[in-house]
Amino acid sequence: MNEKITTRLNELIEKVRNDQSPEGYWNYTFETGISTDCYMIILLRSLEIDDENLIKELSERILRKQQENGAWKLFHDEPNGNLSDTIGAYYALLYSGYYSKNDPRLRLARQFIKTNGGIDKSHMLTKIMLALTGQYKWPVFFPIPIEMILLPVSFPINFYSFSVYGRVNLAPIMILANKKFSIKTSKTPDLKDLFIHREEFEHGHSFRFRESEEWRSLSSLINQGIKSLIGLPSHVHQLATEYTKQYMLSRIEPDGTLLSYFSSTFLMIFALLSLGISKSDPIIVNAVKALKSMISRDINGLPHMQFTTANVWNTSLLTYALQESGILSDDIVVKKANIYLLKKQHYKYGDWVIHNPSALPGGWGFSESNTIHPDVDDTTASLRSIARNVRKDWRCRQAWDRGIQWVLSMQNDDGGWPAFEKNTNSKIVHLFPVEKAEYFLSDPSCADLTGRTLEFLGTYTNLSKTHPSIKRGVDWLLKNQERNGSWYGRWGICYIYGTWGAVTGLRAVGILPTDPMISKAVKWLKEIQNSDGGWGESCQSDLNKKYIPLNASTLTHTAWAVDALIAASDKPTRSIQRGVDYLLENIHKEDWTTTYPKGAGMAGDFYIHYHSYRYIFPILTLAHYRKKFS
C-alpha cells in the first residue's frame, strides 16, 4: 500500500506544481453556482454596459446548468430545485435580450417558479435584488433603520452587533431601502407573470418581515436609542445616510470591490446610484472592472463570476499539504508560495478592531484583494505554511509572531474561535426579522474554526497544553459536541467537516483517544462510512441541522473522515484502510461527486465548490497515513 500511496501522492503533487502561478499562488476556482452569473447580467444591463460577449457566454453557462424540470439547483441532491436561483436565472436570461418568454426552457422555468409559490416565496436577498431593479415593491419600513449606524457601540444593540459580512451587505441595503430606489432600462423585462396573484403586485404588494413580540420590543429599544441622538430627525437621517455611504467607501479594497465580495460590491453600486452618483463615476467603473477580474473559466471555456477569489486560502492550504507530504521548505514551489503569503499578511486595521481593540494587525484574508478583512482560518493556514521557515528566515519570524498574537486575541469570551470578529453572536441579533439571520448577521464560535485553531496551536507552537486559551477551546468543544459524537462545522459540509476539525484539534493539544469526546466521534465516523469505504454528506445536513448522508462518497469528505481517524488511532484500523483504499482508487474520479459543494456560507442559499479541495485534502490525508503508519 505504501508504494501505491507514494505513487498517488506524486501524481497529485505534480498536478499541483504545474498549476501554480508564476507569482506563487494557486487560483483554483471558488465556484458558487449560477447566482453570481445571473446577477452580473442584471448589473451590466442595469448600468447599460453592452458587454455582449460576456452576457452571451454567461447566459450559455446558466442554461447548461438548467435541470429537466426547468429549475436550477444549488446542489445535486436538492429536491426538485431552488426557487430563488431559478427566479434569478429566468430574470437574467430575459434581461440578456437573447431569450424570450416563449423559449421552451424559460417556459419550463416559469412553470417551476409558479408551482413553487412564485416570487413571494423567494429569499429576502432575491426580493431586494428584484426591488432595486424595479420588479418588486420595497417595504414601507425596513426592519433595520439607517439611523442605527449612529448608535454607539455601547448601546445594547448597534450596527457593530452584526457580523462584518452582515454589515458590509446591510450598509448598501439600508441606503437602498431608505431611498426605495429602483432602476429600469429600455431592456428591463416584466416579471409580473412570476406572481401567483398579479393583482397583489399591482396594488403595492411588497415583501413582509416575520415579526414577533420579542422583535417588537427590540425595535422599540432601537427607536428609543435613535430618538436620543442629538439633532433634528431630518439632520440625524441625513447624517446616518452619509455615515453609511462612508462606511462603504472606506472599505473598498484596492481592486475596487467592497471587502472583495461580489454581493456587497453589487449592492454598493446600486446604493451609490441611489445617492446620485453617475454610472460613469470612477468608483462604479472600477467596481465593475474588479468584478470582471474575478471571472474564471470552466472546462467548456465559459465564464463563471466568482463570489470572491480564494487565492490565499488555496495557497496556504496547498503549501501546508505539500510540506506534510515531504516537500522541503526550500523547494521552489514552497518558497514561491510563502513569498506570496508573506506579502498578503495584513498591516492595516479592519472592522475586527471594534471588538478587539487591544490587538495589532497580523492576520491573513481569504482572497487576492483582502487587505483589511482577515479571518482566523486563513491566518492559521498561512502560519502552518511558513512554520518550517520561522527559525531560519527573519521575515517569517516577524510574520509568525504577529500572526499568532492576532489569532490568540481573537478567541471569543465563550472559549471558541469565530471566523472574522470576536463576540459577534448576540442572541438579540437572531430576533431581527431577517431570513437566515443566524448566518447573515452573526459570526459565532464554531467547531471547525475552534478545532483547526487548536490543531495549529498544539502542533506548531510551544504553548503548554494547560494554557488558558487551549483549555477554554477544549471546554468549548466539549460543550458543543452533538449527542451522536459529531460536531457541526459552519464553513464546510458539515458534520464530517466539523468533526474532522474538532478531533484533529483535540488530539494536537493532548486529548487522548480514550477520552469520551474522541471515542464518541470515532464511533460516529465509523457508523456513517459507506459500503465502498468512503464518506459523503449532503448539503441538506446544513439545512436540517442534523447529519444527512449523501448516499455517495466524495474524495473530500473521505479525506476529512480518514484524517480524523488517523489522528485518533495508534494503528491503521479497518475503517482507515478502507478509506485510504477509496482515495487511492478514486483519486482521479470525475463525476458529480467531485463538483459537489464542500463549502458552506448560508444554509439553503449559498454553497461552495472549492476546485482545490480534491487535491489539498487527499494529499494531506495520504501524507498523514504514510507518516504515522509506515
Side-chain angles (χ1 to χ4, degrees), residues 300-409:
N300 300 305
L302 294 173
H304 170 55
M305 298 302 310
Q306 294 184 95
F307 186 83
T308 187
T309 57
N311 292 9
V312 175
W313 182 239
N314 290 335
T315 304
S316 58
L317 287 178
L318 280 165
T319 312
Y320 157 60
L322 289 173
Q323 291 175 92
E324 287 291 281
S325 74
I327 302 299
L328 298 177
S329 62
D330 59 359
D331 186 289
I332 186 63
V333 70
V334 174
K335 288 176 70 174
K336 285 167 59 179
N338 280 338
I339 289 170
Y340 169 81
L341 288 173
L342 288 174
K343 293 176 182 175
K344 292 298 177 181
Q345 188 176 26
H346 292 191
Y347 61 89
K348 293 189 287 187
Y349 287 95
D351 278 13
W352 56 267
V353 77
I354 298 293
H355 300 293
N356 190 11
S358 300
L360 296 172
W364 274 264
F366 183 83
S367 78
E368 175 67 23
S369 63
N370 282 150
T371 63
I372 55 172
H373 186 38
D375 67 89
V376 171
D377 226 1
D378 274 281
T379 302
T380 60
S382 297
L383 290 169
R384 285 186 193 90
S385 180
I386 66 171
R388 291 167 174 83
N389 285 325
V390 169
R391 293 181 181 275
K392 54 188 177 183
D393 187 329
W394 65 269
R395 293 167 302 178
C396 288
R397 182 54 194 252
Q398 284 188 339
W400 180 260
D401 291 343
R402 289 173 55 217
I404 288 177
Q405 290 300 322
W406 188 79
V407 167
L408 290 173
S409 77

Side-chain angles (χ1 to χ4, degrees), residues 67 69 71-74 78-84 86 112 116:
Q67 305 295 308
N69 67 346
W72 280 263
K73 289 185 175 185
L74 284 169
E78 184 175 28
N80 299 318
N82 186 272
L83 176 62
S84 291
T86 304
F112 174 86
N116 287 274

